[in-house]
Amino acid sequence: MPPLTTSDRQALGNPRSTASPLPVSVTDRVQWIGALDPQLRNFDIILRTANGTSYNAYAVRGSNGVAVIDTVKQEFTEAFLARLEAAAGYDEITTLVLNHLEPDHTGAVPELLERAPHVEICVSPRGVQVLRALLKDRFDEYSVRVVRTGDTISLGDRTLRFLTTPYVHWPDTQCTYLEEQDLLFTCDLFGCHFCDERLFNDQVGDFRFSFEYYFEHIMRPFKRYVIEALDLIEPLDIAMIAPSHGPILRSHPREYITHYRRLVKKRLASEVGEQKSLLIFYVSAYGATAQMAYAVYAGAAENAGVRVSLFDLQVGEVTPFVDLIEEADGLAFGTPTINGDAVKTVWDLLAGLVDIDTKGKLGAAFGSYGWTGEAVAMVEARMQGLKMRVPEKGLKIKLHPTEEELECCRDFGRRLAAQLTGTAEPREIDFADLT
Ligand code: FEO
C-alpha cells in the first residue's frame, strides 16, 4: 500500500487507519460526520489529551430536509465534508445548527457555507455575536435564525428543539434535542477529549478519567450554569446524548446526567454548616507577614458566624487548596513584596483558580514590605480579574508590625468577617483607588 499523504491523514483523522472517511450511523436518521484527532496532546493550551480527541458533528435527516449539527476544527474540514457528502447532498441541507462557536466546532463552517449558502443557520442569542465575528463582512449574505429554549425547527417528520444553556462552555452554548428520537446534542457538555474510532460509549476504551478531567477543566468554572443546564435537561426523555467531543453516550445516558449532578455538588457543605468560610493564605520571609496573618485570623475568628482557616503557603503544593477555595465564601492572601512582586506560591495558587468560579467571593490582601510594597496591590488586581468582591483596601505594613499595627490587622479581620456575615453594610473598593 502506498504511504498515506498528509491530505489522507487529515481526511481520515487517524494516521494509522486505512478506512475511508465515511459517516457512521448513530440512529436510522442520524449520522456521525465528525473527525478524529488522535495525535492531539494539548487542547486549548491547558488540557492534556493523552489519546487525542474527536470533533463530533452530525447530520439529521428528516422528510423535508437535513440538518447539520456543528462542524469540526478547520484542519479536519476535508474529512468532515467527505462524510457529509456521503450522508447528504448539499441541496438537501436546510439547516446548520451551531450549538457552540468555538473554533473546534466551527472550523469548517466557511467551507460548508460556500457549498450550501442557502442553509438557515440556527444559533443562540449570544451565538450571533460570535457568528458575526466568524463570517465578518459575509455575515449578511446568510440566513441566520436566533433560537431560544423551546423554539423548534421542523425537518418534516423530524423536529429539533433548542435549549439555551449558556456557559457550558462559552456564553453562546446551547443544546439541541431531536424530539422523535430522544437524542440530545450537547456540544461540549458531557463531552471529553478521548479519541476512539469505535465512537460509542459501550464500545470504546475506558474513558472515565477523561470524562472527569474534562469536567474539571471545562465545566467546573461554570458550575452554576451547568446546574441550570441540568435543570433543563433532566425532565427530557433521553435515549442518547451526542456530545461534540469523545464518545456518544448511547448506553445508560441518564447515568452521565446523574454523574454531572454529583460533580456540581458542594463537597464540604456539611463541614461548614451555616457558617461563612474564610480562608487566609500567607507566605512570610521574616515572620512579619505571618504575624499579620495570625492577627487577621484572630480578628475574624471573633465572629461566631465565620469559620476561619489559616494556611502557610510555604508548603509549596497549592493544588489541594483549589477545592477548598471553590467552596469558601472569602479569601485573604498575605504576601511580602520581594523584588517588587508577590511571592511565587501566591501566584501559583491564584493561577490555579482559573478552574473554579470565584465570581462574587470576598477577597482581601495584606503583607509586610521592606521598600516598595507592590505585592498587595498586585494581588488585589488579580482578584479583580477573578471578579471577586474586595471590600477593604489591602493592608501594608513596613517591616515587623507594632502592637498597634497588629490591632489594625485584627480589625481588618473583624471587618472582613462582618462583610461575610452581612452584619456590615456591603461594600466594594473601587479598584481605581487601590495602589
Ligand atoms: Fe469544544 Fe468549547 O469547544
Side-chain angles (χ1 to χ4, degrees), residues 262-309:
R262 277 197 289 270
L263 292 172
V264 296
K265 261 208 174 117
K266 272 186 177 276
R267 300 165 218 217
L268 302 171
S270 60
E271 288 289 318
V272 178
E274 294 303 308
Q275 288 176 300
K276 298 292 182 184
S277 170
L278 173 64
L279 309 180
I280 301 173
F281 299 97
Y282 71 95
V283 183
S284 196
Y286 292 101
T289 301
Q291 279 183 285
M292 294 179 71
Y294 274 87
V296 174
Y297 168 85
E302 289 173 11
N303 190 322
V306 180
R307 181 161 175 160
V308 194
S309 311

Side-chain angles (χ1 to χ4, degrees), residues 23 75 104 106 119 145 150 155 163 192 203 209 215 243 261 297 307 315 320 354 356 373 380 398 411 414 426:
E75 53 258 56
D104 51 326
T106 51
V119 300
R145 182 188 293 204
L155 302 172
L163 293 81
C192 65
Q203 295 182 339
F209 166 78
F215 177 91
R261 268 290 175 207
Y297 168 85
R307 181 161 175 160
V315 293
V354 71
I356 61 171
E380 285 169 330
K398 197 164 174 72
D411 206 43
R414 290 181 194 112

Side-chain angles (χ1 to χ4, degrees), residues 3 5 10 19 40 49 78 104 111 122 158 188-189 197 208 241 243 278 294 337 348 359-360 369 403 425:
T5 64
Q10 288 173 346
L40 190 78
T49 48
E78 198 180 327
D104 51 326
E111 282 298 325
C122 296
R158 290 292 180 271
D188 282 350
L189 194 69
E197 70 279 6
R208 287 175 294 181
I241 296 172
L278 173 64
Y294 274 87
T337 298
D348 288 344
K359 188 176 178 182
Y369 66 101
E403 183 46 46
E425 187 70 22

Side-chain angles (χ1 to χ4, degrees), residues 167-187:
Y167 290 102
V168 296
H169 154 226
W170 277 7
D172 62 321
T173 45
Q174 63 178 10
C175 295
T176 303
Y177 183 59
L178 176 55
E179 290 185 344
E180 293 79 5
Q181 299 194 282
D182 300 337
L183 199 166
L184 187 66
F185 300 98
T186 55
C187 205

Side-chain angles (χ1 to χ4, degrees), residues 66-300:
V66 171
V68 171
I69 314 272
D70 295 325
T71 75
V72 298
K73 198 173 177 182
Q74 192 269 334
E75 53 258 56
F76 295 92
T77 299
E78 198 180 327
F80 165 75
L81 293 177
R83 290 190 168 105
L84 174 58
E85 287 167 14
Y90 288 114
D91 56 348
E92 294 182 290
I93 304 169
T94 54
T95 307
L96 170 60
V97 174
L98 298 175
N99 282 330
H100 170 32
L101 286 93
E102 195 168 358
D104 51 326
H105 306 295
T106 51
V109 167
E111 282 298 325
L112 174 57
L113 292 178
E114 284 294 319
R115 290 161 173 76
H118 58 277
V119 300
E120 184 175 59
I121 307 170
C122 296
V123 289
S124 72
R126 293 170 91 172
V128 179
Q129 300 164 25
V130 197
L131 185 63
R132 195 179 285 279
L134 178 73
L135 299 177
K136 310 260 183 232
D137 54 4
R138 302 203 60 181
F139 177 83
D140 292 329
E141 294 175 23
Y142 301 107
S143 164
V144 177
R145 182 188 293 204
V146 175
V147 290
R148 298 176 170 78
T149 297
D151 289 350
T152 57
I153 294 279
S154 173
L155 302 172
D157 61 355
R158 290 292 180 271
T159 311
L160 299 174
R161 178 156 34 114
F162 300 98
L163 293 81
T164 307
T165 52
Y167 290 102
V168 296
H169 154 226
W170 277 7
D172 62 321
T173 45
Q174 63 178 10
C175 295
T176 303
Y177 183 59
L178 176 55
E179 290 185 344
E180 293 79 5
Q181 299 194 282
D182 300 337
L183 199 166
L184 187 66
F185 300 98
T186 55
C187 205
D188 282 350
L189 194 69
F190 301 113
C192 65
H193 292 310
F194 188 86
C195 185
D196 191 318
E197 70 279 6
R198 293 166 291 187
L199 290 187
F200 297 98
N201 66 325
D202 52 320
Q203 295 182 339
V204 300
D206 192 336
F207 65 101
R208 287 175 294 181
F209 166 78
S210 303
F211 188 82
E212 295 198 1
Y213 178 78
Y214 183 93
F215 177 91
E216 285 293 306
H217 292 276
I218 299 292
M219 296 297 153
R220 186 176 176 182
F222 307 108
K223 271 186 178 180
R224 68 177 79 177
Y225 297 99
V226 174
I227 291 169
E228 289 176 8
L230 292 176
D231 289 344
L232 280 179
I233 289 167
E234 278 172 338
L236 301 173
D237 290 326
I238 301 278
M240 198 181 309
I241 296 172
S244 290
H245 295 293
I248 299 167
L249 309 171
R250 69 178 178 186
S251 175
H252 304 102
R254 183 79 48 191
E255 283 187 15
Y256 295 88
I257 298 172
T258 306
H259 194 52
Y260 255 51
R261 268 290 175 207
R262 277 197 289 270
L263 292 172
V264 296
K265 261 208 174 117
K266 272 186 177 276
R267 300 165 218 217
L268 302 171
S270 60
E271 288 289 318
V272 178
E274 294 303 308
Q275 288 176 300
K276 298 292 182 184
S277 170
L278 173 64
L279 309 180
I280 301 173
F281 299 97
Y282 71 95
V283 183
S284 196
Y286 292 101
T289 301
Q291 279 183 285
M292 294 179 71
Y294 274 87
V296 174
Y297 168 85

